[in-house]
Amino acid sequence: PGYSTFNTLHIRLWSAAPSREFDLETFNQGNFYKSVEERQRAEAITHVLYPNDNTDKGKELRLKQQYFFVCATIADLVRRFKRKHVDFEEFPEKVAVQLNDTHPALAIVELFRVLMDNEGYSFEDSWRIVSKTFSYTNHTVLPEALEKWAVSLVENLLPRHLQIIYQINLVFLQSVEARWPGDIDRLREMSIIQERPYRAVRMANLAIVMSHTVNGVAELHSKLLVESVFPSFAELYPNRFQNKTNGVTPRRWIHQA
């Protein structure tokens, strides 16, 4: 429960399991290890979090992990919402999703997918619902908090999500072009899709575009976000960026104690 509130938040602990635990036919053919291969592949998704992503296999596993967790969470949010509600226009009034850095940013695209493909909402209506649901906290300006996923990897694992990302980016870049006509450098800087040195999805840009608020976790940090890290976004969305000081200094804590 939060301070002076009546809300209690659920903590969900997800674990991956195979659709088929054991392949008896394969086992009887003498392929003992292969008979449990599906279970091992599934369990590997949640066995060790944040695997080393210096290799292509590590990157693939990490992206699988991120999608697995956001997919399970969005499915749970939608399931609970539909118990009492029908109209997803009410979804942002009942559900708030706070993105802690870019690791869960795929939740934005997953909610888009659910609204359009499962619930029959248009792209425009889905944009309105999603943008009212999400907010984004940036904890650090280090590269690991500003994730980029190779387009080739996303296309291989999540082709439908990449289609939605392209669609979001197209509409967003049209708004940038309308604000700064002919400014190719700004379009290139703000695009959700990085073109060089390799094509990649910029998850921080996606989170900023589709969140109703963006915050740093200290006054100086939030100032850096606006002035140094995302200046063009802050110029485009001047009311979207804010500060939420995270925690208290040890000196002040000791004094209070």
Side-chain angles (χ1 to χ4, degrees):
Y3 177 72
S4 296
T5 73
F6 298 98
N7 299 327
T8 300
L9 302 179
H10 295 91
I11 296 178
R12 300 293 194 202
L13 300 177
W14 303 112
S15 60
S19 56
R20 188 178 185 184
E21 287 275 348
F22 180 71
D23 188 339
L24 180 61
E25 183 178 349
T26 301
F27 182 85
N28 287 334
Q29 291 173 355
N31 296 324
F32 307 126
Y33 292 108
K34 191 173 179 60
S35 65
V36 295
E37 192 176 72
E38 187 174 342
R39 186 180 71 186
Q40 291 172 335
R41 279 202 307 267
E43 292 176 347
I45 293 176
T46 53
H47 187 63
V48 177
L49 297 183
Y50 298 111
N52 189 319
D53 59 357
N54 291 332
T55 65
D56 290 341
K57 286 293 184 182
K59 289 182 174 67
E60 181 178 322
L61 178 56
R62 185 174 285 212
L63 183 58
K64 285 181 179 178
Q65 284 185 346
Q66 291 188 4
Y67 178 64
F68 171 80
F69 286 120
V70 302
C71 178
T73 300
I74 292 297
D76 184 54
L77 291 174
V78 168
R79 176 185 61 83
R80 287 189 285 137
F81 175 80
K82 291 175 73 171
R83 283 178 180 172
K84 298 181 179 179
H85 309 278
V86 176
D87 187 358
F88 273 85
E89 294 287 353
E90 301 175 20
F91 193 76
E93 299 172 14
K94 307 300 179 182
V95 177
V97 179
Q98 183 74 37
L99 301 173
N100 280 305
D101 284 326
T102 56
H103 308 305
L106 275 173
I108 291 170
V109 195
E110 176 64 7
L111 183 55
F112 255 107
R113 186 195 66 78
V114 169
L115 291 172
M116 291 194 296
D117 296 353
N118 296 358
E119 303 299 332
Y121 283 80
S122 68
F123 176 79
E124 292 76 15
D125 289 341
S126 298
W127 182 299
R128 183 173 58 255
I129 295 167
V130 172
S131 62
K132 291 179 181 179
T133 299
F134 287 89
S135 52
Y136 166 46
T137 295
N138 175 279
H139 287 274
T140 174
V141 297
L142 294 175
E144 53 263 32
L146 304 173
E147 287 181 309
K148 299 176 185 178
W149 290 110
V151 166
S152 58
L153 177 60
V154 180
E155 188 172 33
N156 182 50
L157 291 180
L158 304 167
R160 175 59 177 141
H161 293 73
L162 186 61
Q163 290 178 346
I164 295 170
I165 290 170
Y166 281 149
Q167 199 169 357
I168 294 170
N169 197 42
L170 174 62
V171 173
F172 168 65
L173 289 182
Q174 288 172 343
S175 70
V176 174
E177 172 64 23
R179 175 69 183 275
W180 296 287
D183 194 337
I184 302 301
D185 289 338
R186 201 181 294 256
L187 286 170
R188 188 178 295 116
E189 169 202 344
M190 299 179 74
S191 175
I192 296 171
I193 303 297
Q194 169 187 284
E195 297 294 341
R196 297 177 181 174
Y198 64 95
R199 301 193 73 231
V201 181
R202 296 163 166 159
M203 303 308 289
N205 292 23
L206 173 65
I208 294 171
V209 170
M210 293 310 309
S211 294
H212 56 79
T213 52
V214 178
N215 71 276
V217 293
E219 186 176 354
L220 177 59
H221 174 222
S222 298
K223 187 177 180 181
L224 283 172
L225 293 181
V226 169
E227 296 180 357
S228 303
V229 185
F230 303 116
S232 292
F233 285 97
E235 193 174 348
L236 182 62
Y237 305 125
N239 298 321
R240 189 166 300 187
F241 285 77
Q242 54 183 248
N243 175 60
K244 291 288 185 291
T245 299
N246 186 5
V248 63
T249 63
R251 183 175 57 186
R252 187 178 301 168
W253 183 83
I254 291 173
H255 175 75
Q256 184 69 26

